[in-house]
Amino acid sequence: MIKGEHIDKFFGDLQVLNDINFEIKPSEVVCVIGPSGSGKSTLLRCLNHLERITSGKIYIDGELVDYRGNDKDLMKIEQHKVTELCMELGMVFQRFNLFPHKTALGNVTLSPMIVRGQNKEEAEENGRKMLEKVGLSDKADEYPSRLSGGQQQRVAIARALAMEPKIMLFDEPTSALDPELVGEVLEVMKKLALSGMTMMVVTHEMSFAKEVADRVIFMDEGIIVEEGPPSQIFGNPKKDRTKAFLARTNA
């Protein structure tokens, strides 16, 4: 569903991704862990084209999305094709980014109407289904200011699902929440995983990664240090850097 080959990303002289190679299969849940500043969020932003990679290749559902070589060798991808492919990706951010002047339902239906061309009736019918899926069918007419942080993040998940993506990307979706609200968001994500949704999750929630992930990727300083099933990464990590990170996390 997603494949990255030799991905590099520079911000000026600072290299934040260094020769990243990975693949995510259909219905697989991959959790990406690592210290702050390791490149985890940048990787997600590159996958959905919020950031352009410096070099390498990204494939979505088997199709090449982007390529960047040196300054004299750029492979041009038509913008409408890039947009079409990136619509297969649903993105949930650390911050909820809801429109404050629109209700929960209004936030969920906006993109399907503008981007997918759905009429209002169709979009609202589907939007209510998505809100029901995240446990907020009774909050459709509430504005974000009247919702808790956990509820707002669940609206954000419903908004992403309303675009009918093949893959869901989560960028530390619980990091902005009070501790008591984290569980309700993780529960929605667990249900999505059980339903067969392909997911890539950047997270600091180690218990979630242990329970839900099919595979865990540990990143540090812009590289993939180690990857494997949760039983290996958490139970018997092979790299000293992974061991040190998990020891501090457990402490």
Side-chain angles (χ1 to χ4, degrees):
M1 294 296 285
I2 311 180
K3 184 178 182 181
E5 293 182 347
H6 306 294
I7 296 174
D8 291 329
K9 173 63 180 176
F10 285 83
F11 291 107
D13 294 330
L14 176 65
Q15 185 169 13
V16 293
L17 297 177
N18 185 355
D19 196 28
I20 298 292
N21 296 275
F22 71 95
E23 188 171 352
I24 299 178
K25 299 174 183 178
S27 299
E28 189 176 26
V29 177
V30 174
C31 285
V32 185
I33 64 172
S36 298
S38 59
K40 308 182 302 296
S41 294
T42 299
L43 177 58
L44 285 197
R45 292 176 65 84
C46 286
L47 293 182
N48 69 2
H49 249 60
L50 291 175
E51 299 285 353
R52 304 298 291 270
I53 60 176
T54 305
S55 63
K57 296 180 181 179
I58 295 172
Y59 296 85
I60 297 175
D61 205 10
E63 294 196 55
L64 179 64
V65 178
D66 196 14
Y67 173 78
R68 289 294 178 269
N70 57 47
D71 291 339
K72 297 179 182 178
D73 181 21
L74 297 181
M75 181 175 179
K76 299 294 185 182
I77 307 294
E78 294 181 2
Q79 186 57 46
H80 74 88
K81 184 62 175 178
V82 172
T83 301
E84 180 182 316
L85 288 170
C86 288
M87 282 168 56
E88 305 292 352
L89 305 177
M91 183 81 174
V92 178
F93 300 88
Q94 297 177 31
R95 297 290 175 178
F96 325 123
N97 298 328
L98 300 179
F99 290 108
H101 62 288
K102 289 189 174 292
T103 63
L105 183 61
N107 272 278
V108 172
T109 58
L110 186 62
S111 289
M113 288 192 293
I114 293 175
V115 180
R116 294 278 189 194
Q118 294 181 4
N119 61 47
K120 184 176 181 181
E121 182 178 341
E122 180 184 10
E124 288 191 351
E125 180 181 359
N126 185 53
R128 291 184 186 280
K129 289 179 181 177
M130 295 304 103
L131 287 171
E132 182 178 3
K133 182 174 285 191
V134 300
L136 291 174
S137 56
D138 60 333
K139 301 293 185 181
D141 298 322
E142 295 285 1
Y143 288 88
S145 61
R146 294 179 59 85
L147 300 174
S148 70
Q151 290 170 335
Q152 289 185 60
Q153 190 62 294
R154 283 189 280 158
V155 172
I157 294 173
R159 176 179 59 187
L161 291 173
M163 290 292 288
E164 301 177 356
K166 293 182 179 179
I167 307 153
M168 286 287 287
L169 306 177
F170 293 87
D171 185 11
E172 298 185 21
T174 60
S175 65
L177 299 178
D178 292 333
E180 66 268 22
L181 301 177
V182 169
E184 65 189 64
V185 174
L186 294 181
E187 191 60 34
V188 169
M189 294 170 63
K190 289 177 186 177
K191 289 179 180 178
L192 276 179
L194 289 172
S195 73
M197 174 64 73
T198 307
M199 295 165 57
M200 188 172 188
V201 184
V202 170
T203 184
H204 290 297
E205 300 291 339
M206 299 300 145
S207 59
F208 174 84
K210 290 178 186 178
E211 180 182 350
V212 179
D214 297 300
R215 188 155 43 93
V216 176
I217 293 174
F218 171 62
M219 289 184 65
D220 188 32
E221 296 184 348
I223 67 171
I224 293 178
V225 177
E226 185 171 359
E227 64 178 299
S231 58
Q232 174 199 316
I233 298 299
F234 294 108
N236 187 30
K238 301 187 183 327
K239 302 293 186 179
D240 290 341
R241 183 66 189 90
T242 313
K243 295 176 184 177
F245 171 76
L246 292 174
R248 285 203 304 272
T249 301
N250 292 333

